[in-house]
Amino acid sequence: MKEVITLQFGEQANYAGTHYWNLMQAAMSEDADASLVPETLYCEQNAQLDGAPTCKTQSLAPRLLVYDKAGNYASWEDNGGNDGNGNGNDSSHGSGGDKAAQSAEATWNDQEIEVHAQQQQQRRRRSTSSPGTDESTIRYWTDFSDLRYHPRTLNSVSGLEFGSSLGEMNTFIEGQRVFEGEDSRDEVLEGRFREFAEECDLIQGFQVLADACGGFAGYASAYLQRVREEYPKSPIVLYNVCADRADGVGAARQTDIAVAVATALGQEVSMSVPLFAPSGMGRPGLGVDLDLGSQFQTSAFAAAHTAQWSYSLLARTKTMDDVVDQVTRQGCYRIAESLLAPGLEIGGGGSMAERRSVSELVRSRFIVCSSARVDSIESLAGQLFVDRGTAVTRLVADMLPRSAYIDNGRAVALPRAFPPIFGGPKRTEPGRLASVGVAGLLCSTSGSEAGLQRLHGALKPEQSKYLKDYERDDIRELRYALDSCIDRYSSI
């Protein structure tokens, strides 16, 4: 068994992550022929925790570690230490049992919880209303989650002890410092991460959703540095999530994003995928109706990108190594662009192929979650088409090697908490979730060069007021990492 461990860091990443897991749950609920292998992404919900007796159950929970501020869990309440089967358990990292749990509950109410000094049991929504029916009622990502989390999953981070006097984690470097302080006190990987890892037969890789900038971008970066030290050959796929458009962020946040991307390149993250609010939405015929001012909606679109690629892991049609090698050309191009065409319909007999080329189809119907422009698939360094119910593989099969496309056949099942952002033809059957065909392209392209140049500019000396916390040599190394990357992409 080749398992994947998923990590999520920060509010924006957790918004997207919640939609993502809802999509995965919907896919499994519609898996009538049992073709999916849930153990790739999921584990038994009641695995043995901190010496507690193992409780056997058929229930599965994501093999997932979530990190966020305590206030962003506000719509969930503790179920009294219940493991979901009426059995109490203690998942705190220290000793002390009930005493530790009581102490953690007190700090939870004060929102001053530290990562490894708290007990985050499975929690349930306070509201009993149907999720997703009224977007105006959604204040936290926990408001629309359809999941029953593993007792290890939810972790709160506070900057009070190791960050600023106000506990703020507003910048990349502040997040790094908080992690370093936590890790020096109690090695982070020796806690819940280690327990998940040791339960795996063979770790396939790590799937990471992290805020693109801010404190949790730095916290995630420091965390992944430790993961890379322990797993030097395992693929790490990083999705950088931001609710704003890539070309619409302010100078301070742009500098933070530049530091995060350059650091990921230096850390040998296997593949980094920007998931910002999409650009180019003014084209006619797009299968998306998206309110760019709604984090609930933009994060759902970002989640659809992540789900498009990891569905192949769940279906065992590709491994993480396969995806990374195909897109990055064995690690040469580690910044990848994700494009989706929801609602795309290609008729039989090659009718679409007669009307337009694949490159024209990509330009006109595919939406990218960055400022990159993808004009021609012939100019891509690496590419992977994933077809979920659109028949786009009919168009690419004759022009690309077999490793460059996947036909998963089944359309994307839309969970009830998913916002109505996808237009185009939807399929509905009595008693089943609505579904929509989605074509996806994950690629490394020269179109990324302009965005990389903009990030490089954010690290120039004239931006020094945003870089005052960094040593000059550190800035030089960050700029060198982006320089090397730009050189490669300019030669595609």
Side-chain angles (χ1 to χ4, degrees), residues 252-287:
R253 297 178 69 201
Q254 186 82 287
T255 300
D256 229 29
I257 293 169
V259 172
V261 171
T263 302
L265 290 170
Q267 288 175 338
E268 299 296 322
V269 167
S270 308
M271 184 169 68
S272 182
V273 184
L275 291 181
F276 290 74
S279 57
M281 296 295 292
R283 291 170 289 164
L286 296 179

PDB file of all heavy atoms in Angstrom, residues 252-287:
ATOM      1  N   ALA A 252       3.715  44.406  -0.042  1.00  0.00           N
ATOM      2  CA  ALA A 252       4.190  43.648   1.111  1.00  0.00           C
ATOM      3  C   ALA A 252       3.892  42.163   0.960  1.00  0.00           C
ATOM      4  O   ALA A 252       4.752  41.307   1.204  1.00  0.00           O
ATOM      5  CB  ALA A 252       3.561  44.192   2.393  1.00  0.00           C
ATOM      6  N   ARG A 253       2.671  41.839   0.536  1.00  0.00           N
ATOM      7  CA  ARG A 253       2.305  40.432   0.355  1.00  0.00           C
ATOM      8  C   ARG A 253       3.035  39.831  -0.840  1.00  0.00           C
ATOM      9  O   ARG A 253       3.386  38.654  -0.825  1.00  0.00           O
ATOM     10  CB  ARG A 253       0.786  40.300   0.191  1.00  0.00           C
ATOM     11  CG  ARG A 253       0.015  40.750   1.427  1.00  0.00           C
ATOM     12  CD  ARG A 253      -1.480  40.655   1.202  1.00  0.00           C
ATOM     13  NE  ARG A 253      -1.912  39.280   1.111  1.00  0.00           N
ATOM     14  CZ  ARG A 253      -3.047  38.891   0.543  1.00  0.00           C
ATOM     15  NH1 ARG A 253      -3.849  39.790  -0.006  1.00  0.00           N
ATOM     16  NH2 ARG A 253      -3.384  37.621   0.525  1.00  0.00           N
ATOM     17  N   GLN A 254       3.278  40.631  -1.870  1.00  0.00           N
ATOM     18  CA  GLN A 254       4.043  40.136  -3.012  1.00  0.00           C
ATOM     19  C   GLN A 254       5.444  39.730  -2.585  1.00  0.00           C
ATOM     20  O   GLN A 254       5.975  38.708  -3.026  1.00  0.00           O
ATOM     21  CB  GLN A 254       4.119  41.226  -4.085  1.00  0.00           C
ATOM     22  CG  GLN A 254       4.774  40.784  -5.379  1.00  0.00           C
ATOM     23  CD  GLN A 254       3.812  40.046  -6.274  1.00  0.00           C
ATOM     24  OE1 GLN A 254       3.456  38.905  -6.016  1.00  0.00           O
ATOM     25  NE2 GLN A 254       3.395  40.695  -7.341  1.00  0.00           N
ATOM     26  N   THR A 255       6.048  40.522  -1.712  1.00  0.00           N
ATOM     27  CA  THR A 255       7.368  40.174  -1.194  1.00  0.00           C
ATOM     28  C   THR A 255       7.306  38.879  -0.398  1.00  0.00           C
ATOM     29  O   THR A 255       8.176  38.007  -0.525  1.00  0.00           O
ATOM     30  CB  THR A 255       7.904  41.311  -0.308  1.00  0.00           C
ATOM     31  OG1 THR A 255       8.003  42.506  -1.089  1.00  0.00           O
ATOM     32  CG2 THR A 255       9.273  40.974   0.244  1.00  0.00           C
ATOM     33  N   ASP A 256       6.274  38.730   0.406  1.00  0.00           N
ATOM     34  CA  ASP A 256       6.098  37.503   1.190  1.00  0.00           C
ATOM     35  C   ASP A 256       5.941  36.289   0.278  1.00  0.00           C
ATOM     36  O   ASP A 256       6.503  35.221   0.537  1.00  0.00           O
ATOM     37  CB  ASP A 256       4.867  37.650   2.084  1.00  0.00           C
ATOM     38  CG  ASP A 256       5.145  37.274   3.524  1.00  0.00           C
ATOM     39  OD1 ASP A 256       6.310  37.436   3.954  1.00  0.00           O
ATOM     40  OD2 ASP A 256       4.230  36.822   4.218  1.00  0.00           O
ATOM     41  N   ILE A 257       5.166  36.440  -0.793  1.00  0.00           N
ATOM     42  CA  ILE A 257       4.971  35.343  -1.744  1.00  0.00           C
ATOM     43  C   ILE A 257       6.293  34.994  -2.413  1.00  0.00           C
ATOM     44  O   ILE A 257       6.630  33.811  -2.594  1.00  0.00           O
ATOM     45  CB  ILE A 257       3.912  35.721  -2.795  1.00  0.00           C
ATOM     46  CG1 ILE A 257       2.535  35.852  -2.138  1.00  0.00           C
ATOM     47  CG2 ILE A 257       3.856  34.686  -3.915  1.00  0.00           C
ATOM     48  CD1 ILE A 257       1.485  36.477  -3.028  1.00  0.00           C
ATOM     49  N   ALA A 258       7.078  36.029  -2.773  1.00  0.00           N
ATOM     50  CA  ALA A 258       8.372  35.790  -3.410  1.00  0.00           C
ATOM     51  C   ALA A 258       9.299  35.001  -2.484  1.00  0.00           C
ATOM     52  O   ALA A 258       9.984  34.061  -2.912  1.00  0.00           O
ATOM     53  CB  ALA A 258       9.012  37.122  -3.790  1.00  0.00           C
ATOM     54  N   VAL A 259       9.303  35.374  -1.210  1.00  0.00           N
ATOM     55  CA  VAL A 259      10.133  34.652  -0.239  1.00  0.00           C
ATOM     56  C   VAL A 259       9.668  33.202  -0.120  1.00  0.00           C
ATOM     57  O   VAL A 259      10.484  32.265  -0.089  1.00  0.00           O
ATOM     58  CB  VAL A 259      10.085  35.348   1.138  1.00  0.00           C
ATOM     59  CG1 VAL A 259      10.776  34.502   2.194  1.00  0.00           C
ATOM     60  CG2 VAL A 259      10.742  36.723   1.054  1.00  0.00           C
ATOM     61  N   ALA A 260       8.353  32.991  -0.088  1.00  0.00           N
ATOM     62  CA  ALA A 260       7.818  31.630   0.056  1.00  0.00           C
ATOM     63  C   ALA A 260       8.174  30.767  -1.144  1.00  0.00           C
ATOM     64  O   ALA A 260       8.599  29.612  -0.987  1.00  0.00           O
ATOM     65  CB  ALA A 260       6.301  31.688   0.243  1.00  0.00           C
ATOM     66  N   VAL A 261       8.012  31.297  -2.357  1.00  0.00           N
ATOM     67  CA  VAL A 261       8.313  30.520  -3.561  1.00  0.00           C
ATOM     68  C   VAL A 261       9.804  30.218  -3.661  1.00  0.00           C
ATOM     69  O   VAL A 261      10.211  29.079  -3.945  1.00  0.00           O
ATOM     70  CB  VAL A 261       7.834  31.276  -4.818  1.00  0.00           C
ATOM     71  CG1 VAL A 261       8.329  30.597  -6.097  1.00  0.00           C
ATOM     72  CG2 VAL A 261       6.311  31.364  -4.834  1.00  0.00           C
ATOM     73  N   ALA A 262      10.637  31.230  -3.411  1.00  0.00           N
ATOM     74  CA  ALA A 262      12.083  31.024  -3.488  1.00  0.00           C
ATOM     75  C   ALA A 262      12.554  30.026  -2.433  1.00  0.00           C
ATOM     76  O   ALA A 262      13.433  29.195  -2.692  1.00  0.00           O
ATOM     77  CB  ALA A 262      12.812  32.355  -3.321  1.00  0.00           C
ATOM     78  N   THR A 263      11.971  30.091  -1.252  1.00  0.00           N
ATOM     79  CA  THR A 263      12.345  29.143  -0.195  1.00  0.00           C
ATOM     80  C   THR A 263      11.953  27.725  -0.577  1.00  0.00           C
ATOM     81  O   THR A 263      12.710  26.774  -0.344  1.00  0.00           O
ATOM     82  CB  THR A 263      11.670  29.537   1.129  1.00  0.00           C
ATOM     83  OG1 THR A 263      12.053  30.875   1.466  1.00  0.00           O
ATOM     84  CG2 THR A 263      12.098  28.611   2.250  1.00  0.00           C
ATOM     85  N   ALA A 264      10.773  27.559  -1.165  1.00  0.00           N
ATOM     86  CA  ALA A 264      10.339  26.225  -1.600  1.00  0.00           C
ATOM     87  C   ALA A 264      11.282  25.657  -2.654  1.00  0.00           C
ATOM     88  O   ALA A 264      11.608  24.465  -2.634  1.00  0.00           O
ATOM     89  CB  ALA A 264       8.911  26.289  -2.140  1.00  0.00           C
ATOM     90  N   LEU A 265      11.749  26.509  -3.573  1.00  0.00           N
ATOM     91  CA  LEU A 265      12.704  26.055  -4.580  1.00  0.00           C
ATOM     92  C   LEU A 265      14.007  25.613  -3.924  1.00  0.00           C
ATOM     93  O   LEU A 265      14.596  24.587  -4.296  1.00  0.00           O
ATOM     94  CB  LEU A 265      12.972  27.177  -5.585  1.00  0.00           C
ATOM     95  CG  LEU A 265      11.816  27.537  -6.524  1.00  0.00           C
ATOM     96  CD1 LEU A 265      12.127  28.818  -7.283  1.00  0.00           C
ATOM     97  CD2 LEU A 265      11.532  26.396  -7.491  1.00  0.00           C
ATOM     98  N   GLY A 266      14.449  26.367  -2.934  1.00  0.00           N
ATOM     99  CA  GLY A 266      15.685  26.009  -2.237  1.00  0.00           C
ATOM    100  C   GLY A 266      15.557  24.776  -1.387  1.00  0.00           C
ATOM    101  O   GLY A 266      16.544  24.069  -1.134  1.00  0.00           O
ATOM    102  N   GLN A 267      14.346  24.475  -0.938  1.00  0.00           N
ATOM    103  CA  GLN A 267      14.112  23.305  -0.095  1.00  0.00           C
ATOM    104  C   GLN A 267      13.904  22.032  -0.898  1.00  0.00           C
ATOM    105  O   GLN A 267      13.665  20.973  -0.332  1.00  0.00           O
ATOM    106  CB  GLN A 267      12.880  23.529   0.782  1.00  0.00           C
ATOM    107  CG  GLN A 267      13.073  24.525   1.901  1.00  0.00           C
ATOM    108  CD  GLN A 267      11.776  24.779   2.653  1.00  0.00           C
ATOM    109  OE1 GLN A 267      10.688  24.546   2.129  1.00  0.00           O
ATOM    110  NE2 GLN A 267      11.886  25.250   3.876  1.00  0.00           N
ATOM    111  N   GLU A 268      13.948  22.134  -2.212  1.00  0.00           N
ATOM    112  CA  GLU A 268      13.709  20.979  -3.069  1.00  0.00           C
ATOM    113  C   GLU A 268      12.293  20.434  -2.919  1.00  0.00           C
ATOM    114  O   GLU A 268      12.069  19.216  -2.938  1.00  0.00           O
ATOM    115  CB  GLU A 268      14.732  19.861  -2.783  1.00  0.00           C
ATOM    116  CG  GLU A 268      16.173  20.247  -3.038  1.00  0.00           C
ATOM    117  CD  GLU A 268      16.428  20.547  -4.524  1.00  0.00           C
ATOM    118  OE1 GLU A 268      15.866  19.851  -5.381  1.00  0.00           O
ATOM    119  OE2 GLU A 268      17.173  21.507  -4.793  1.00  0.00           O
ATOM    120  N   VAL A 269      11.307  21.329  -2.740  1.00  0.00           N
ATOM    121  CA  VAL A 269       9.917  20.904  -2.880  1.00  0.00           C
ATOM    122  C   VAL A 269       9.750  20.379  -4.300  1.00  0.00           C
ATOM    123  O   VAL A 269      10.146  21.032  -5.266  1.00  0.00           O
ATOM    124  CB  VAL A 269       8.957  22.080  -2.602  1.00  0.00           C
ATOM    125  CG1 VAL A 269       7.540  21.756  -3.050  1.00  0.00           C
ATOM    126  CG2 VAL A 269       8.978  22.431  -1.126  1.00  0.00           C
ATOM    127  N   SER A 270       9.155  19.205  -4.453  1.00  0.00           N
ATOM    128  CA  SER A 270       9.148  18.522  -5.747  1.00  0.00           C
ATOM    129  C   SER A 270       8.369  19.282  -6.806  1.00  0.00           C
ATOM    130  O   SER A 270       8.779  19.344  -7.976  1.00  0.00           O
ATOM    131  CB  SER A 270       8.547  17.119  -5.585  1.00  0.00           C
ATOM    132  OG  SER A 270       9.181  16.419  -4.540  1.00  0.00           O
ATOM    133  N   MET A 271       7.239  19.846  -6.426  1.00  0.00           N
ATOM    134  CA  MET A 271       6.428  20.604  -7.374  1.00  0.00           C
ATOM    135  C   MET A 271       5.603  21.614  -6.602  1.00  0.00           C
ATOM    136  O   MET A 271       4.961  21.280  -5.603  1.00  0.00           O
ATOM    137  CB  MET A 271       5.514  19.671  -8.182  1.00  0.00           C
ATOM    138  CG  MET A 271       4.705  20.370  -9.270  1.00  0.00           C
ATOM    139  SD  MET A 271       3.878  19.216 -10.404  1.00  0.00           S
ATOM    140  CE  MET A 271       2.646  18.486  -9.316  1.00  0.00           C
ATOM    141  N   SER A 272       5.623  22.862  -7.054  1.00  0.00           N
ATOM    142  CA  SER A 272       4.877  23.937  -6.413  1.00  0.00           C
ATOM    143  C   SER A 272       3.844  24.467  -7.402  1.00  0.00           C
ATOM    144  O   SER A 272       4.184  24.821  -8.537  1.00  0.00           O
ATOM    145  CB  SER A 272       5.828  25.060  -5.984  1.00  0.00           C
ATOM    146  OG  SER A 272       5.134  26.093  -5.328  1.00  0.00           O
ATOM    147  N   VAL A 273       2.567  24.502  -6.972  1.00  0.00           N
ATOM    148  CA  VAL A 273       1.465  24.887  -7.855  1.00  0.00           C
ATOM    149  C   VAL A 273       0.744  26.097  -7.264  1.00  0.00           C
ATOM    150  O   VAL A 273       0.150  25.994  -6.188  1.00  0.00           O
ATOM    151  CB  VAL A 273       0.462  23.725  -8.032  1.00  0.00           C
ATOM    152  CG1 VAL A 273      -0.620  24.108  -9.030  1.00  0.00           C
ATOM    153  CG2 VAL A 273       1.171  22.446  -8.461  1.00  0.00           C
ATOM    154  N   PRO A 274       0.784  27.268  -7.913  1.00  0.00           N
ATOM    155  CA  PRO A 274       0.046  28.429  -7.398  1.00  0.00           C
ATOM    156  C   PRO A 274      -1.457  28.258  -7.622  1.00  0.00           C
ATOM    157  O   PRO A 274      -1.895  27.925  -8.722  1.00  0.00           O
ATOM    158  CB  PRO A 274       0.596  29.597  -8.219  1.00  0.00           C
ATOM    159  CG  PRO A 274       1.095  28.975  -9.490  1.00  0.00           C
ATOM    160  CD  PRO A 274       1.549  27.590  -9.134  1.00  0.00           C
ATOM    161  N   LEU A 275      -2.244  28.484  -6.577  1.00  0.00           N
ATOM    162  CA  LEU A 275      -3.704  28.430  -6.666  1.00  0.00           C
ATOM    163  C   LEU A 275      -4.267  29.744  -6.134  1.00  0.00           C
ATOM    164  O   LEU A 275      -4.691  29.847  -4.989  1.00  0.00           O
ATOM    165  CB  LEU A 275      -4.258  27.234  -5.882  1.00  0.00           C
ATOM    166  CG  LEU A 275      -3.960  25.839  -6.441  1.00  0.00           C
ATOM    167  CD1 LEU A 275      -4.586  24.774  -5.565  1.00  0.00           C
ATOM    168  CD2 LEU A 275      -4.446  25.702  -7.879  1.00  0.00           C
ATOM    169  N   PHE A 276      -4.228  30.760  -6.978  1.00  0.00           N
ATOM    170  CA  PHE A 276      -4.774  32.069  -6.655  1.00  0.00           C
ATOM    171  C   PHE A 276      -6.179  32.169  -7.243  1.00  0.00           C
ATOM    172  O   PHE A 276      -6.653  31.259  -7.922  1.00  0.00           O
ATOM    173  CB  PHE A 276      -3.881  33.169  -7.230  1.00  0.00           C
ATOM    174  CG  PHE A 276      -2.544  33.294  -6.542  1.00  0.00           C
ATOM    175  CD1 PHE A 276      -1.541  32.358  -6.744  1.00  0.00           C
ATOM    176  CD2 PHE A 276      -2.291  34.359  -5.693  1.00  0.00           C
ATOM    177  CE1 PHE A 276      -0.307  32.469  -6.106  1.00  0.00           C
ATOM    178  CE2 PHE A 276      -1.063  34.496  -5.055  1.00  0.00           C
ATOM    179  CZ  PHE A 276      -0.078  33.541  -5.257  1.00  0.00           C
ATOM    180  N   ALA A 277      -6.862  33.270  -6.973  1.00  0.00           N
ATOM    181  CA  ALA A 277      -8.119  33.506  -7.662  1.00  0.00           C
ATOM    182  C   ALA A 277      -7.830  33.561  -9.154  1.00  0.00           C
ATOM    183  O   ALA A 277      -6.835  34.146  -9.580  1.00  0.00           O
ATOM    184  CB  ALA A 277      -8.748  34.814  -7.183  1.00  0.00           C
ATOM    185  N   PRO A 278      -8.658  32.935  -9.979  1.00  0.00           N
ATOM    186  CA  PRO A 278      -8.327  32.805 -11.402  1.00  0.00           C
ATOM    187  C   PRO A 278      -8.342  34.129 -12.146  1.00  0.00           C
ATOM    188  O   PRO A 278      -9.061  35.061 -11.788  1.00  0.00           O
ATOM    189  CB  PRO A 278      -9.426  31.861 -11.927  1.00  0.00           C
ATOM    190  CG  PRO A 278     -10.558  32.023 -10.972  1.00  0.00           C
ATOM    191  CD  PRO A 278      -9.927  32.281  -9.635  1.00  0.00           C
ATOM    192  N   SER A 279      -7.530  34.195 -13.188  1.00  0.00           N
ATOM    193  CA  SER A 279      -7.502  35.360 -14.066  1.00  0.00           C
ATOM    194  C   SER A 279      -8.123  34.974 -15.408  1.00  0.00           C
ATOM    195  O   SER A 279      -8.416  33.815 -15.668  1.00  0.00           O
ATOM    196  CB  SER A 279      -6.059  35.847 -14.255  1.00  0.00           C
ATOM    197  OG  SER A 279      -5.255  34.803 -14.772  1.00  0.00           O
ATOM    198  N   GLY A 280      -8.324  35.967 -16.275  1.00  0.00           N
ATOM    199  CA  GLY A 280      -8.871  35.692 -17.599  1.00  0.00           C
ATOM    200  C   GLY A 280     -10.307  35.230 -17.583  1.00  0.00           C
ATOM    201  O   GLY A 280     -10.730  34.434 -18.422  1.00  0.00           O
ATOM    202  N   MET A 281     -11.102  35.733 -16.630  1.00  0.00           N
ATOM    203  CA  MET A 281     -12.483  35.277 -16.491  1.00  0.00           C
ATOM    204  C   MET A 281     -13.442  35.998 -17.433  1.00  0.00           C
ATOM    205  O   MET A 281     -14.626  35.688 -17.465  1.00  0.00           O
ATOM    206  CB  MET A 281     -12.948  35.480 -15.048  1.00  0.00           C
ATOM    207  CG  MET A 281     -12.191  34.644 -14.031  1.00  0.00           C
ATOM    208  SD  MET A 281     -12.485  32.887 -14.263  1.00  0.00           S
ATOM    209  CE  MET A 281     -14.212  32.780 -13.794  1.00  0.00           C
ATOM    210  N   GLY A 282     -12.941  36.960 -18.216  1.00  0.00           N
ATOM    211  CA  GLY A 282     -13.823  37.712 -19.103  1.00  0.00           C
ATOM    212  C   GLY A 282     -14.094  37.039 -20.434  1.00  0.00           C
ATOM    213  O   GLY A 282     -14.876  37.544 -21.237  1.00  0.00           O
ATOM    214  N   ARG A 283     -13.465  35.894 -20.693  1.00  0.00           N
ATOM    215  CA  ARG A 283     -13.668  35.228 -21.977  1.00  0.00           C
ATOM    216  C   ARG A 283     -15.066  34.617 -22.067  1.00  0.00           C
ATOM    217  O   ARG A 283     -15.584  34.095 -21.085  1.00  0.00           O
ATOM    218  CB  ARG A 283     -12.623  34.127 -22.157  1.00  0.00           C
ATOM    219  CG  ARG A 283     -11.200  34.629 -22.352  1.00  0.00           C
ATOM    220  CD  ARG A 283     -10.211  33.482 -22.273  1.00  0.00           C
ATOM    221  NE  ARG A 283     -10.094  32.981 -20.901  1.00  0.00           N
ATOM    222  CZ  ARG A 283      -9.556  31.801 -20.588  1.00  0.00           C
ATOM    223  NH1 ARG A 283      -9.145  30.995 -21.537  1.00  0.00           N
ATOM    224  NH2 ARG A 283      -9.453  31.436 -19.337  1.00  0.00           N
ATOM    225  N   PRO A 284     -15.673  34.623 -23.234  1.00  0.00           N
ATOM    226  CA  PRO A 284     -17.002  34.009 -23.386  1.00  0.00           C
ATOM    227  C   PRO A 284     -16.908  32.486 -23.386  1.00  0.00           C
ATOM    228  O   PRO A 284     -15.883  31.913 -23.752  1.00  0.00           O
ATOM    229  CB  PRO A 284     -17.472  34.536 -24.747  1.00  0.00           C
ATOM    230  CG  PRO A 284     -16.206  34.801 -25.509  1.00  0.00           C
ATOM    231  CD  PRO A 284     -15.209  35.271 -24.478  1.00  0.00           C
ATOM    232  N   GLY A 285     -17.961  31.842 -22.964  1.00  0.00           N
ATOM    233  CA  GLY A 285     -18.042  30.394 -23.057  1.00  0.00           C
ATOM    234  C   GLY A 285     -17.383  29.624 -21.935  1.00  0.00           C
ATOM    235  O   GLY A 285     -17.295  28.395 -21.990  1.00  0.00           O
ATOM    236  N   LEU A 286     -16.881  30.319 -20.904  1.00  0.00           N
ATOM    237  CA  LEU A 286     -16.259  29.605 -19.796  1.00  0.00           C
ATOM    238  C   LEU A 286     -17.330  28.896 -18.966  1.00  0.00           C
ATOM    239  O   LEU A 286     -18.440  29.403 -18.801  1.00  0.00           O
ATOM    240  CB  LEU A 286     -15.477  30.568 -18.902  1.00  0.00           C
ATOM    241  CG  LEU A 286     -14.281  31.272 -19.547  1.00  0.00           C
ATOM    242  CD1 LEU A 286     -13.632  32.218 -18.543  1.00  0.00           C
ATOM    243  CD2 LEU A 286     -13.259  30.261 -20.048  1.00  0.00           C
ATOM    244  N   GLY A 287     -16.984  27.746 -18.419  1.00  0.00           N
ATOM    245  CA  GLY A 287     -17.940  26.978 -17.640  1.00  0.00           C
ATOM    246  C   GLY A 287     -17.922  27.311 -16.168  1.00  0.00           C
ATOM    247  O   GLY A 287     -18.182  26.442 -15.331  1.00  0.00           O
TER     248      GLY A 287
END
